[in-house]
Structures are given as structure tokens and as C-alpha cells.
Amino acid sequence: MSKFDRYKRVLTEDFLVYLRARDKKSILRQSIELYRLMRLYRYLPYQYLKHGLYSRQVGNEIFRYLPTELLHATRDRANADGDRGRLQDKLQMEDMLIGGGIAGTNTLFRLDSEKLMDREGNMVAFPDFLARVEAMNLPRGIIVKPRSGGSGAAVFKMAVEDGALVHEGETLDLSAFRMLVFTTRFGEFWDEFLIQETIVQHPDLDRFNPTSVNSVRIDSFIGDDGVTRFNAAALKIGPPGSVTDNSTGGGYMAGIDLETGKFSSDAKQEARYGGRYHDLEVLFGIDPQTFVIPFWEEVISTARKAAECMVPFRSLGWDIALSHDGPLVIETNYDYGIDVLQEVARGYAEKPLGRAFLDRFPNRDAVLKALQ
């Protein structure tokens, strides 16, 4: 996202949340805090709107929140030596994970505008494709997604039933299949799609939304000392009926305590969907005091091992699903968004990525003093 687009979103989405807020501090106090943040970070303090720092419930912790653009610049500098094409290509990324012995997605076939192929690129006839998929007895069918896509765009869930490809109750021949994926949900922006086995998620995650694979988003940072550390984690939850868990599509993100795997915040929606926090027990029937993300220690160890596989990339956002048998890496992104993670983590100034920024920031001492 460009700087212009970020400011536009803040003004057209977050500002509306601000106008609706009923617990705002006085105008005088807001003005003083905005001025102090501007002086401190020497940057337009749009994080004040983005993270609701105008609320009377927020005190001096406002200084823990950095302008996301500064964090993104630090992230990009940490990733400068990496080959971005290898991570943009989901098939190459899957191969890298396989090479590192890390469980992840299972790509079965590929589809472009001219042909249907197996994973290796060999052409496959449509009847043969149907027969092979049906013989696999996949419990939740297949997922079709762009080979280089992101943000949940152009993702389709299908199944092969009685020798026919079925999507949302409609039977598709090859022409209709290709037409669907390449012309709807922004599919026209991609040249090739991957056909993967749909992950069967752990039943504890089905409780949030059974139609989407609700994954853990966790961001890793490898410091100059070579040690992998984590900034924050959240559970991504798809809205009712959705096949994706992306917050850009109306989904939720609930913060996770890195040490315990328990929830550290309620479920937040993006500003365009109201920007509210929703009580986990009311919305999903989940007791946040007792619920623990399944296989949490394995999630951490998997993310650490996967991060080490992706060097020279040093700052990555991971989406990790939980199956009956443990974590499965869905994907990683070198340009992942930090906004929601910073919010559920209650600021990044004292997180590894924030510290990496401060280590190079001329006004570092003033920031550290404000954090005391």
C-alpha cells in the first residue's frame, strides 16, 4: 500500500470511527498528544486515529504506537537482500518449506488461461483431473487461489462430487471453471491459479467459523545477532460464510499472548467494517480466560524454523493453520501489514521490530524516555 493510499484510508475509514466514538478525550488534550507524537517520531501521527489513541481509556501508552510507515520501512530494510519473487510465488514458497521439513499446503494441480496441469506443469485432461481429485477423497474438497495473490482475493472453494466439479451448488465444466476463477473476485489480475487440498482445521478453530480456515498470523524478526524473535500474534477469523479469514473481507483478528497461547484482546474488525472490538464469548461462545490455541508451542517452533528457512528475509508475517495433527504453514509475506498486529499488541515500540527502528532513529533517547 502506498503512503497516499494509507493516508486516504485513515481519512475515509478511521476518521469515521473517530467521529462515532463517544469516549474521546478533550480537544485540548488530543491536540497536545498529537503534537507530542509528531515531535517524538517526527512523522505525521496518523496512528493516533488508526489505533483509537484519542480514547479516554488510553494514557501514556500512546507513545508505544509508531506510525506504521516507519515500521514498514524498517521491515523493508530488513528484507532488502531477499528475492521477493520467491515468496510472491506460492509454489516456490511451498517448495522452500518442503525443503526445510516444514508442514504446509498441498498443491495438487495448476490452472492457467490455456491449460490444466499437474503440480509439475504437465497437461492434464479435465476428466482425468476430476477422476484424480475424486479418488483422493478429500474431506473438505479443494481450494483454488492465485499463484501469486494475497489478501484473500480470487479464492474459491470447490469439490468433485459424482464425477462433477461443484462450486456453491453449481456444476462447472472446464470452460465455466476457467471463466469463474479468471473473471470474478478480481481473478482477472492473475495469470495462474493453484489448486490445493483444503486444510481440515482443528475442531477448536471450527468453533469460530467452520467455513474458513482460521489461521494464526504471527510476525517474526531476525535481529543482527541472528536470533529469531516474534513481535505479536493474532487469530484471523473469517466472517460467517466466508472461505477466507482476511480482515479486509470483514474478518476479525484477536490478539494472542505469545507466551501462553491465550487471547490477549477481543476480536477487532477493520475500520471499514466499523472498527469495533467484539467480545469473544458473545460472538463465538469462546471463554477467553480458558481457551488456548491448539499446539501453541508447536506454532512458535514452526514459525521460528520457517523464518530461518527464509533467510536473507528477516522480517516476515506468517499465516499458520492448525490441523488435527499440528501447525501447517499457509504462506508468508515480506510486505505484511502491521496495523492490526500493532494494535492487538498495544504498540510496537518495545517489540523487536520497533527496537530495530529505534536503533537507527535520531530521536531514540527521547522515545525511550517517553516510554518509561
Side-chain angles (χ1 to χ4, degrees):
M1 183 187 299
S2 69
K3 187 182 300 186
F4 172 79
D5 288 337
R6 184 171 302 282
Y7 292 158
K8 180 181 177 182
R9 178 177 289 185
V10 169
L11 290 174
T12 59
E13 297 177 7
D14 297 288
F15 187 62
L16 296 179
V17 176
Y18 168 82
L19 292 177
R20 291 194 296 266
R22 297 180 179 274
D23 67 338
K24 292 192 287 286
K25 301 167 184 173
S26 69
I27 294 297
L28 176 61
R29 183 175 174 188
Q30 290 180 58
S31 301
I32 292 171
E33 290 181 342
L34 283 165
Y35 175 75
R36 292 185 67 187
L37 285 170
M38 174 79 88
R39 287 285 304 270
L40 193 64
Y41 287 113
R42 302 176 180 177
Y43 205 89
L44 188 67
Y46 63 87
Q47 74 271 27
Y48 197 79
L49 279 179
K50 189 71 182 174
H51 300 303
L53 305 184
Y54 47 77
S55 169
R56 288 195 297 267
Q57 300 177 33
V58 183
N60 286 337
E61 61 265 34
I62 63 170
F63 303 116
R64 299 177 190 163
Y65 295 79
L66 283 72
T68 314
E69 208 63 41
L70 300 180
L71 292 170
H72 284 171
T74 305
R75 174 204 66 194
D76 294 344
R77 187 166 53 248
N79 291 333
D81 294 333
D83 180 355
R84 295 186 173 192
R86 298 189 71 189
L87 295 194
Q88 288 174 330
D89 185 331
K90 289 183 171 64
L91 200 60
Q92 287 194 52
M93 183 182 64
E94 190 176 83
D95 286 337
M96 293 169 70
L97 293 171
I98 291 171
I102 299 163
T105 54
N106 180 23
T107 296
L108 306 170
F109 297 93
R110 296 154 54 186
L111 178 73
D112 66 18
S113 59
E114 297 181 351
K115 57 188 178 297
L116 183 61
M117 302 164 279
D118 63 16
R119 192 184 189 281
E120 289 70 36
N122 303 306
M123 190 177 296
V124 177
F126 189 59
D128 186 32
F129 160 75
L130 296 176
R132 289 166 65 177
V133 171
E134 189 161 27
M136 293 175 187
N137 293 314
L138 304 176
R140 296 204 178 176
I142 55 176
I143 283 285
V144 183
K145 63 175 70 169
R147 180 167 174 171
S148 60
S151 301
V155 176
F156 307 88
K157 189 175 182 180
M158 305 181 187
V160 177
E161 301 172 358
D162 299 323
L165 182 63
V166 179
H167 173 257
E168 296 182 352
E170 181 181 353
T171 299
L172 305 177
D173 60 16
L174 180 56
S175 177
F177 178 29
R178 186 174 280 119
M179 179 69 70
L180 174 71
V181 300
F182 281 104
T183 64
T184 59
R185 302 180 190 173
F186 305 104
E188 63 271 17
F189 291 104
W190 288 281
D191 299 320
E192 185 176 326
F193 284 76
L194 301 181
I195 302 168
Q196 298 178 340
E197 176 183 359
T198 301
I199 293 170
V200 179
Q201 69 184 347
H202 193 283
D204 284 355
L205 278 301
D206 261 348
R207 295 169 61 188
F208 294 89
N209 180 14
T211 64
S212 62
V213 176
N214 308 303
S215 61
V216 171
R217 165 63 60 87
I218 184 169
D219 63 330
S220 59
F221 183 79
I222 301 178
D224 293 337
D225 58 2
V227 176
T228 301
R229 300 179 177 89
F230 300 101
N231 300 294
L235 181 66
K236 299 167 59 181
I237 306 164
S242 175
V243 300
T244 65
D245 61 1
N246 298 80
S247 60
T248 53
Y252 309 83
M253 290 184 74
I256 303 171
D257 184 281
L258 287 168
E259 297 296 324
T260 66
K262 291 186 175 182
F263 286 113
S264 59
S265 80
D266 286 332
K268 174 75 184 292
Q269 281 187 298
E270 289 201 2
R272 72 180 74 175
Y273 298 102
R276 293 177 50 231
Y277 279 94
H278 300 264
D279 186 283
L280 288 163
E281 192 158 13
V282 172
L283 196 60
F284 304 112
I286 300 295
D287 182 356
Q289 301 301 317
T290 59
F291 186 89
V292 178
I293 300 295
F295 301 107
W296 184 246
E297 290 184 3
E298 289 88 342
V299 170
I300 295 294
S301 61
T302 296
R304 178 173 286 109
K305 185 177 179 181
E308 291 164 358
C309 283
M310 299 298 169
V311 173
F313 289 98
R314 298 195 296 122
S315 180
L316 295 170
W318 299 90
D319 289 339
I320 301 177
L322 284 308
S323 73
H324 292 77
D325 301 317
L328 297 172
V329 176
I330 298 175
E331 64 181 27
T332 189
N333 294 284
Y334 60 82
D335 58 349
Y336 69 100
I338 298 173
D339 284 328
V340 178
L341 283 175
Q342 173 165 231
E343 179 151 333
V344 298
R346 299 179 178 87
Y348 259 39
E350 297 172 298
K351 303 298 182 181
L353 185 63
R355 289 297 188 182
F357 161 73
L358 289 175
D359 285 345
R360 300 169 61 98
F361 187 47
N363 209 30
R364 173 179 179 272
D365 290 344
V367 174
L368 293 179
K369 183 177 180 180
L371 293 173
Q372 293 176 354

